[in-house]
Amino acid sequence: MDHVDNNNHICHGQKNHKFEGTRAYYVPHISKELQEWVEKLLLLGMPADIVLQKHREMVHEKLALFDGQTKRDDFLSSHDVQNIDTKIKAAKYMYDRNDAQSVRVWQDQNPNICFEYQEYEGNVEEDGHVPFIMGIQMPQQLEWMLKYGHNNILAMDATFGTNGMKEHWLLRIGMWVRHLRTLKHAGQETNAAIEAYHSILKSKWLSSIRKASHRRVDWLIHQLITVVFIYYWWSQCCKESGFYHNFKVEKLENNQWLHAQSIPDYYVTFHTSDPRLAWVRSQTDDTCHYEVWYQTPHLAMCECGVSKNGYLCKHVIKVNMMKKNSARENFNVQ
């Protein structure tokens, strides 16, 4: 619908009357029923590859019943699923096909988040773009600003490709100056925190900006108040509560798994009458054996120092490996 030529005429599809009577005029599309079926599975959280797999199974069953008669719906591609998924995601933030109107609708529906919105009062540009200034702030961000900003600092930085439109905004510098003078807490100060924020923003979440759907302002607003805000909210909560990832413990667990693979199988001895008990010989001292009590993979204990400190030791992991191998052998014999 939006693919037009230099004369603003639709280039393809049944609305392009230049191709009437030709094959291009009757390009087949998937049916509405199949679109709704795919959309339903995607809304349930099913990955695209699983959707394609289920569709293939349906096609195989249909071809077996109807003697190989095919139609367009039988050739669902990953591109079709991706297009439907893109429309579902766009429906969350695209209130209108016109980007400026979509932003206006969002601003009217979210007055508590959008604390400032003003469009340029001069003549609209020839391409229909409307310059505007918008201030977005979540309630938690307001608390952080009042807590850490000493009630008088607002750091500002430009991003989202505004540097490339600098010889454009200089013509409207009066609008910026007026807001710097009248908006509360506004100033010309900046700091490393806001620079780091925008650096992560551009490298982590705006890396796919080359997509046409990701060049819209309403998409940027949606990213800021959902994905980006949640990420920084979680980081701030971890910082205030003193909770951090214990990378030493994670590294220890990974190493214990590698150490367990180096233990020979004949170092492990199981109890003859109680399958929950086992002994694992030490790799450094042949006279030392560690007793392992193993109920399930999630309920096991060892008398070594690592296990007593509450960590998963290599002896428990080795016993788990041996039991899994034994279960596979018994299954193969049966």
Side-chain angles (χ1 to χ4, degrees), residues 16 123 177 191 303:
N16 185 4
N123 296 327
V177 174
N191 55 23
E303 60 180 2

Side-chain angles (χ1 to χ4, degrees), residues 65-79:
L65 296 176
F66 295 97
D67 300 330
Q69 296 180 2
T70 61
K71 57 182 181 179
R72 172 64 176 87
D73 286 357
D74 298 334
F75 301 96
L76 182 69
S77 64
S78 59
H79 187 68

Side-chain angles (χ1 to χ4, degrees), residues 3 45-46 55 70 83 114 149 169 177 180 227 235 260 290 311 317:
H3 190 188
M46 187 174 294
H55 178 263
T70 61
N83 287 340
C114 183
W169 286 107
V177 174
L180 288 175
V227 181
S235 302
Y290 296 102
Y311 303 124
I317 297 176

Side-chain angles (χ1 to χ4, degrees), residues 124-173:
V124 180
E125 299 178 4
E126 296 180 358
D127 55 5
H129 292 172
V130 181
F132 67 95
I133 288 180
M134 172 180 285
I136 304 174
Q137 189 175 58
M138 304 295 286
Q140 292 80 1
Q141 291 177 314
L142 176 61
E143 296 178 3
W144 297 337
M145 184 185 71
L146 298 178
K147 182 177 180 180
Y148 301 106
H150 307 288
N151 297 329
N152 60 0
I153 295 178
L154 177 64
M156 299 184 64
D157 182 37
T159 186
F160 204 65
T162 52
N163 291 336
M165 304 176 65
K166 183 182 299 182
E167 303 325 341
H168 178 83
W169 286 107
L170 281 178
L171 300 177
R172 299 169 176 82
I173 194 171

Side-chain angles (χ1 to χ4, degrees), residues 38-58:
V38 174
E39 183 177 352
K40 180 180 179 180
L41 296 181
L42 292 175
L43 289 174
L44 292 175
M46 187 174 294
D49 55 344
I50 303 300
V51 175
L52 290 172
Q53 180 63 28
K54 284 186 171 293
H55 178 263
R56 295 190 189 102
E57 295 174 358
M58 293 172 53

Side-chain angles (χ1 to χ4, degrees), residues 45-293:
M46 187 174 294
D49 55 344
I50 303 300
V51 175
L52 290 172
Q53 180 63 28
K54 284 186 171 293
H55 178 263
R56 295 190 189 102
E57 295 174 358
M58 293 172 53
V59 172
H60 286 308
E61 295 177 359
K62 192 201 78 168
L63 294 179
L65 296 176
F66 295 97
D67 300 330
Q69 296 180 2
T70 61
K71 57 182 181 179
R72 172 64 176 87
D73 286 357
D74 298 334
F75 301 96
L76 182 69
S77 64
S78 59
H79 187 68
D80 297 327
V81 179
Q82 183 180 2
N83 287 340
I84 297 175
D85 186 48
T86 301
K87 293 179 180 178
I88 294 175
K89 294 178 179 178
K92 298 179 180 179
Y93 60 85
M94 190 182 297
Y95 298 97
D96 193 274
R97 300 194 68 87
N98 181 272
D99 197 8
Q101 181 61 27
S102 179
V103 173
R104 293 190 190 100
V105 175
W106 181 90
Q107 182 265 337
D108 293 336
Q109 296 182 358
N110 299 272
N112 297 330
I113 301 177
C114 183
F115 64 90
E116 181 73 12
Y117 181 80
Q118 180 179 343
E119 295 184 359
Y120 179 58
E121 299 177 353
N123 296 327
V124 180
E125 299 178 4
E126 296 180 358
D127 55 5
H129 292 172
V130 181
F132 67 95
I133 288 180
M134 172 180 285
I136 304 174
Q137 189 175 58
M138 304 295 286
Q140 292 80 1
Q141 291 177 314
L142 176 61
E143 296 178 3
W144 297 337
M145 184 185 71
L146 298 178
K147 182 177 180 180
Y148 301 106
H150 307 288
N151 297 329
N152 60 0
I153 295 178
L154 177 64
M156 299 184 64
D157 182 37
T159 186
F160 204 65
T162 52
N163 291 336
M165 304 176 65
K166 183 182 299 182
E167 303 325 341
H168 178 83
W169 286 107
L170 281 178
L171 300 177
R172 299 169 176 82
I173 194 171
M175 183 168 58
W176 288 97
V177 174
R178 182 170 64 254
H179 275 266
L180 288 175
R181 292 177 177 176
T182 59
L183 189 61
K184 293 182 179 180
H185 307 301
Q188 299 179 357
E189 299 183 19
T190 184
N191 55 23
I194 197 69
E195 295 284 352
Y197 173 88
H198 285 158
S199 177
I200 297 178
L201 175 66
K202 289 182 283 189
S203 61
K204 189 176 182 65
W205 290 290
L206 301 184
S207 57
S208 59
I209 196 174
R210 294 181 179 179
K211 295 183 179 180
S213 60
H214 294 178
R215 298 175 188 171
R216 296 174 57 98
V217 180
D218 52 6
W219 172 84
L220 173 63
I221 295 174
H222 178 73
Q223 289 291 104
L224 290 175
I225 64 176
T226 54
V227 181
V228 179
F229 170 72
I230 292 176
Y231 172 82
Y232 281 98
W233 172 83
W234 172 253
S235 302
Q236 186 66 23
C237 289
C238 293
K239 182 179 180 180
E240 294 178 352
S241 61
F243 173 78
Y244 293 95
H245 281 292
N246 195 333
F247 295 103
K248 291 185 178 180
V249 174
E250 295 177 1
K251 185 178 180 180
L252 178 63
E253 292 178 352
N254 295 332
N255 287 340
Q256 294 300 323
W257 182 268
L258 297 177
H259 294 332
Q261 293 179 335
S262 64
I263 300 177
D265 293 346
Y266 59 87
Y267 272 38
V268 182
T269 305
F270 290 94
H271 198 280
T272 56
S273 59
D274 191 353
R276 298 176 300 177
L277 293 179
W279 292 269
V280 182
R281 187 198 307 179
S282 174
Q283 292 180 287
T284 57
D285 186 4
D286 294 339
T287 61
C288 179
H289 292 75
Y290 296 102
E291 182 177 346
V292 177
W293 183 84

